[in-house]
Amino acid sequence: MLQVDKQVCDILDRDKSIGSTLIGQVMKTSLYGDPWDAFLVLTGKADDLTPTLPMEFGVLGEPVMIKRCNNILLIDPAQFGLTHEEVKEFGLHFVPCDTASAVIEGVPCRATPDAVLVTSNGELFIVDGGCVLLECKVRFWADKDLYENGAPASDYDQCQWHMTLTDGARCFVIAWFGIARDVEIFRIDRDDKRIRECLDAAFDFWHFNVMKNNPPIVNGSTGCKQYLARQEEREASRREFQDDEWGLATDIAQAKAEIATLKERIDTWENMLRESMGEMQELYVEGGKSKVTCKKPKNRETRTLRVNMKD
């Protein structure tokens, strides 16, 4: 584990230290800000620090997501790199995590992972020399493609910062893409090389920009540019209804609803006809072509009802 000059201290204010959110802006991987935004926050020049709606939903969703992770621990602990025996023997479960603050190489730093893995007596469970953390993310469904190849760079740097402040070994990103869907789990292992890069960038940013009140160059972060490009591409493929498109779409929706209703009625009638036929396999009209069959196809246990009315 990377050795750094870290002096643990009392909890530092969010706007007077480099936290897990700001490190992504400093590293230019954040989807929602760049070094200029971090500079405004840390120099007291930011206009509005009110939490956004996604941030508020994230806070509301954290207890639910942590509870779901504890359920998964009991059912499929392998998703967290653990075994049923370990979970049972040590009473492993996730609990909300306190804020960790420290001055690292002269830079005030803080991190607040959403949860940490503990034993039944509340002690940290150590794996690979460090603790195990959770970072919960409530995401838009439209952002799911960001996670096609694992957690995006912004989450990666945030988790590395968590592990820097807490001496963590693993951090799992828990992404929730919708209330009717299960959470998805992305494992991030401690990366001392990336941590060193983050610490070096934080040192330069703090001492040469923040402390000297020297604004960084405003050119946008890579993460922000990529996220904006996705939104622009999506907007370019959308427009409002025109001409008779609304009427056609409404007719299709109405027809589908009627078909669904008819399907329910057909299912009811078929069940009634099956019950009436009993063990009979065919009904017919003497001298006619109409018939109903209810026979068992080869290699199948259930009988298939076919109605053929030609008279």
Side-chain angles (χ1 to χ4, degrees):
M1 188 174 291
L2 179 68
Q3 299 299 314
V4 297
D5 178 16
K6 181 169 66 174
Q7 301 174 13
V8 178
C9 60
D10 293 334
I11 296 178
L12 297 168
D13 292 337
R14 189 184 300 271
D15 58 350
K16 293 182 175 61
S17 57
I18 297 181
S20 301
T21 299
L22 293 187
I23 192 61
Q25 297 179 2
V26 173
M27 297 300 292
K28 297 186 177 182
T29 56
S30 171
L31 304 179
Y32 309 111
D34 63 2
W36 170 252
D37 296 290
F39 175 80
L40 293 179
V41 171
L42 294 172
T43 56
K45 297 181 176 66
D47 294 331
D48 185 11
L49 295 178
T50 303
T52 62
L53 187 60
M55 292 171 64
E56 291 183 355
F57 272 108
V59 173
L60 292 173
E62 284 171 13
V64 177
M65 298 168 75
I66 294 172
K67 182 177 181 180
R68 177 57 183 148
C69 287
N70 282 327
N71 290 338
I72 294 173
L73 263 182
L74 298 175
I75 300 169
D76 187 13
Q79 292 197 50
F80 294 104
L82 302 168
T83 65
H84 286 284
E85 290 73 20
E86 288 175 321
V87 173
K88 184 177 181 179
E89 178 182 355
F90 297 102
L92 300 182
H93 61 288
F94 289 103
V95 297
C97 192
D98 294 330
T99 296
S101 296
V103 177
I104 303 178
E105 300 174 353
V107 180
C109 306
R110 59 172 277 152
T112 310
D114 292 319
V116 62
L117 187 66
V118 299
T119 63
S120 56
N121 59 9
E123 295 180 354
L124 295 179
F125 185 72
I126 303 302
V127 176
D128 297 333
C131 60
V132 180
L133 307 168
L134 295 185
E135 173 58 33
C136 299
K137 297 291 184 184
V138 175
R139 292 293 195 191
F140 296 111
W141 172 252
D143 290 339
K144 194 175 188 306
D145 63 307
L146 292 173
Y147 291 78
E148 285 181 349
N149 298 313
S154 55
D155 291 358
Y156 190 87
D157 284 346
Q158 185 175 20
C159 290
Q160 294 303 332
W161 202 248
H162 286 338
M163 290 185 277
T164 302
L165 272 293
T166 63
D167 293 330
R170 299 177 190 170
C171 187
F172 291 89
V173 174
I174 312 302
W176 196 11
F177 296 101
I179 192 68
R181 303 183 64 86
D182 200 357
V183 299
E184 297 189 27
I185 301 171
F186 302 89
R187 173 174 168 169
I188 296 178
D189 292 318
R190 184 183 179 93
D191 181 350
D192 282 341
K193 180 177 181 295
R194 186 58 175 175
I195 287 176
R196 183 70 265 169
E197 292 172 352
C198 289
L199 289 172
D200 290 343
F203 181 91
D204 291 344
F205 181 76
W206 182 261
H207 291 289
F208 297 115
N209 295 115
V210 178
M211 296 305 294
K212 293 185 178 181
N213 199 29
N214 179 29
I217 298 175
V218 182
N219 57 7
S221 72
T222 302
C224 283
K225 290 177 180 177
Q226 292 175 344
Y227 194 69
L228 180 61
R230 290 172 66 256
Q231 290 181 313
E232 290 177 342
E233 181 181 358
R234 188 177 298 124
E235 288 301 317
S237 64
R238 301 171 68 242
R239 64 168 172 78
E240 294 185 0
F241 286 101
Q242 295 179 359
D243 303 326
D244 58 351
E245 291 170 344
W246 175 262
L248 291 171
T250 302
D251 290 342
I252 292 171
Q254 183 177 351
K256 286 184 175 181
E258 292 174 354
I259 290 172
T261 300
L262 285 174
K263 180 66 170 59
E264 291 181 1
R265 294 171 65 185
I266 291 172
D267 289 342
T268 300
W269 292 331
E270 286 185 346
N271 290 335
M272 294 172 63
L273 186 53
R274 286 173 181 273
E275 184 177 356
S276 179
M277 290 179 66
E279 296 300 321
M280 294 293 102
Q281 295 189 27
E282 183 175 328
L283 305 178
Y284 65 94
V285 177
E286 185 68 35
K289 297 181 179 180
S290 299
K291 66 177 180 179
V292 173
T293 60
C294 190
K295 300 179 180 180
K296 184 188 299 183
K298 292 182 179 179
N299 302 321
R300 289 185 60 181
E301 293 298 324
T302 57
R303 297 194 297 171
T304 301
L305 183 71
R306 300 185 186 281
V307 178
N308 190 3
M309 306 302 287
K310 296 184 176 181
D311 296 306

